[in-house]
Amino acid sequence: GNGGGEGAGGGGATGGSASGKIAFLMPDRASTRYEQQDSPLFKAKVQELCPDCEVLYQNADGDANKQQQQANAMITQGVKVMVLDPVDSTAAATLVSTAKGQGIKVITYDRPVPDAQADFYVSFDNKKIGSLIAEDLVKHLDSKGDTDGGVLMVNGSPTDRAAQLIKEG
């Protein structure tokens, strides 16, 4: 919804403390950050901000179908919010639409889902990251006097929309 001044008069929903289940769906274990940083840091911050909220964490192990099953299970368990870092940015559109159809707030995290409008998208400026990487590489090659030869660009997974944005940058 749009914030505005609604709720200022104190409806029932704005009264007590917040509670509910939050799905935290991460894409893979190949990047150790999800297990070692993202998940524990997210859980700790939610605990601090909402002691009565419960984070249900799942990792899809790089499998878009598994992530779909995990999301469906979260919906069945009655989550109010779904934080999603998709394995496949295109395939995840169905997942986002299904969750929103159930009244679940969806936050796409790290990787956008261009084909379905999430409630929020949290990430870096991916194009700017790509631009900074390229500028730094050119400076480095210039400083070494390396002006001939090619550069091999490895642009990440084609199913990762964030990787495509970094490439564009």
Side-chain angles (χ1 to χ4, degrees), residues 59-153:
N59 190 301
D61 297 311
D63 182 338
N65 290 327
K66 184 174 181 178
Q67 190 166 58
Q68 181 74 54
Q69 291 163 359
Q70 290 171 340
N72 290 341
M74 295 291 178
I75 292 168
T76 302
Q77 290 177 62
V79 298
K80 291 183 177 178
V81 177
M82 184 178 290
V83 180
L84 171 68
D85 192 339
V87 172
D88 182 322
S89 296
T90 304
T94 308
L95 197 156
V96 171
S97 300
T98 303
K100 287 190 66 171
Q102 298 290 322
I104 297 166
K105 295 288 183 203
V106 178
I107 301 168
T108 47
Y109 172 77
D110 203 29
R111 298 173 183 167
V113 177
D115 300 330
Q117 188 63 50
D119 295 288
F120 298 96
Y121 170 55
V122 179
S123 188
F124 306 100
D125 182 340
N126 291 301
K127 284 188 182 178
K128 183 66 175 174
I129 290 170
S131 173
L132 291 170
I133 291 170
E135 288 169 23
D136 196 53
L137 178 62
V138 170
K139 278 185 207 159
H140 175 76
L141 292 172
D142 281 348
S143 74
K144 293 212 168 276
D146 254 336
T147 54
D148 58 339
V151 173
L152 173 64
M153 283 179 59

Side-chain angles (χ1 to χ4, degrees), residues 37-51:
Q37 293 168 321
D38 296 50
S39 178
L41 290 170
F42 184 81
K43 285 177 179 173
K45 193 63 178 179
V46 168
Q47 184 61 39
E48 177 189 318
L49 296 172
C50 181

